[in-house]
Amino acid sequence: MTITITAFERSPDGGKGLARDTRVRWALEEVGQPYEVRLVSFRAMKEPAHLALHPFGQIPTYEEGDLALFETGAIVFHIAERHAGLLPVDANARARAITWMFAAVNTIEPPILELGTAKLLEGDKPWNKARLPLVEERIRNRLAQLSTRLGDADWLDGAFSAGDLMMVSVLLRLKSSGILDEYPNLAAYVARGESRPSYKRAFDAQLAVYTGKPPTG
Ligand code: GTB
């Protein structure tokens, strides 16, 4: 059955791979599933046809036969459940990998998103100068804890899993802030994720949308 995802017709990040279709593309590449992409404009995202797929009018969505999903955590989990390669077979190890998926979107991602909001949408507010360091501090607290847990391991719990895919995807958003580099083991962890051939294919595919040129790999 054909898998179709949606992505920005024109990503505001200029193809840096920060829009959330990249993590879905990455998961599909990891498990070797081909997929098609339907590009949507900001206007089309708010129209009934897209809202029927995504109640919040966002990308990405995931369609496979009569199944339609939204929310990247749920989409990546679905891919990982249906295809080998992203979740361990052992039941306890599998549960732990799923826990890391939730930790990525529930515990690590929220303060990182707050930083984006504070910088991009609230820069002109009189209280922004006082708020920004507080948001950055919340991120540092979480990164310090995550850094301690990762230690000198390659991945969060044994072999690379959907938990790492989600965590690396979430942390990538911090690269331009410089905060990630304060935690060398986390910076190396993200670089390890980015160096996976499946990530590179996903990255190149989303970049090709922006440049209009087909991926070279
Ligand atoms: N919780 C949802 C999920 O994980 O699927 C969040 C989905 C979401 O935020 N989608 C964004 C969207 O559709 C695109 S990824 N936004 C349009 C809208 O809400 O109207 C977020 C994103 C957007 C842009 C950049 N960027 O330019 O760097 C990075 C990330």
Side-chain angles (χ1 to χ4, degrees):
M1 229 171 316
T2 307
I3 294 171
T4 305
I5 67 166
T6 50
F8 282 134
E9 187 177 68
R10 193 145 193 87
S11 179
D13 74 349
K16 290 197 184 77
L18 299 175
R20 285 182 177 79
D21 57 293
T22 305
R23 53 183 79 165
V24 174
R25 293 173 187 267
W26 185 9
L28 289 165
E29 292 287 352
E30 286 285 349
V31 300
Q33 281 298 303
Y35 62 97
E36 292 180 358
V37 183
R38 192 169 62 250
L39 301 176
V40 286
S41 66
F42 275 92
R43 192 168 52 83
M45 271 189 268
K46 310 301 174 198
E47 286 174 356
H50 189 76
L51 286 169
L53 293 173
H54 196 309
F56 308 119
Q58 296 184 310
I59 61 97
T61 56
Y62 176 101
E63 291 160 81
E64 187 180 12
D66 54 12
L67 175 69
L69 297 174
F70 59 96
E71 284 297 333
T72 51
I75 296 170
V76 171
F77 181 53
H78 169 78
I79 295 166
E81 283 252 283
R82 296 291 163 100
H83 307 281
L86 279 172
L87 285 175
V89 174
D90 173 76
N92 285 355
R94 198 176 179 91
R96 289 196 303 273
I98 295 165
T99 300
W100 281 116
M101 294 184 70
F102 276 88
V105 293
N106 247 0
T107 301
I108 303 293
E109 193 165 46
I112 294 175
L113 294 181
E114 273 303 292
L115 183 64
T117 305
K119 283 185 172 173
L120 297 174
L121 303 178
E122 299 169 350
D124 58 344
K125 305 286 185 231
W127 36 260
N128 185 259
K129 241 180 126 178
R131 173 166 142 79
L132 211 51
L134 299 177
V135 176
E136 288 176 344
E137 207 41 42
R138 268 178 233 136
I139 294 175
R140 287 193 175 91
N141 284 342
R142 289 299 180 223
L143 294 195
Q145 293 166 321
L146 187 65
S147 168
T148 300
R149 172 52 80 100
L150 180 66
D152 59 7
D154 279 355
W155 306 114
L156 286 166
D157 192 332
F160 176 84
S161 77
D164 295 297
L165 186 151
M166 291 302 288
M167 191 63 82
V168 169
S169 299
V170 161
L171 293 174
L172 271 168
R173 188 101 179 243
L174 275 180
K175 260 176 90 174
S176 63
S177 73
I179 298 178
L180 193 62
D181 294 327
E182 295 171 26
Y183 305 87
N185 67 336
L186 292 184
Y189 171 65
V190 168
R192 248 186 317 278
E194 287 178 293
S195 71
R196 291 179 74 82
S198 54
Y199 176 82
K200 286 186 185 158
R201 284 195 296 274
F203 181 90
D204 288 350
Q206 64 77 38
L207 179 62
V209 174
Y210 191 80
T211 60
K213 294 181 193 143
T216 49

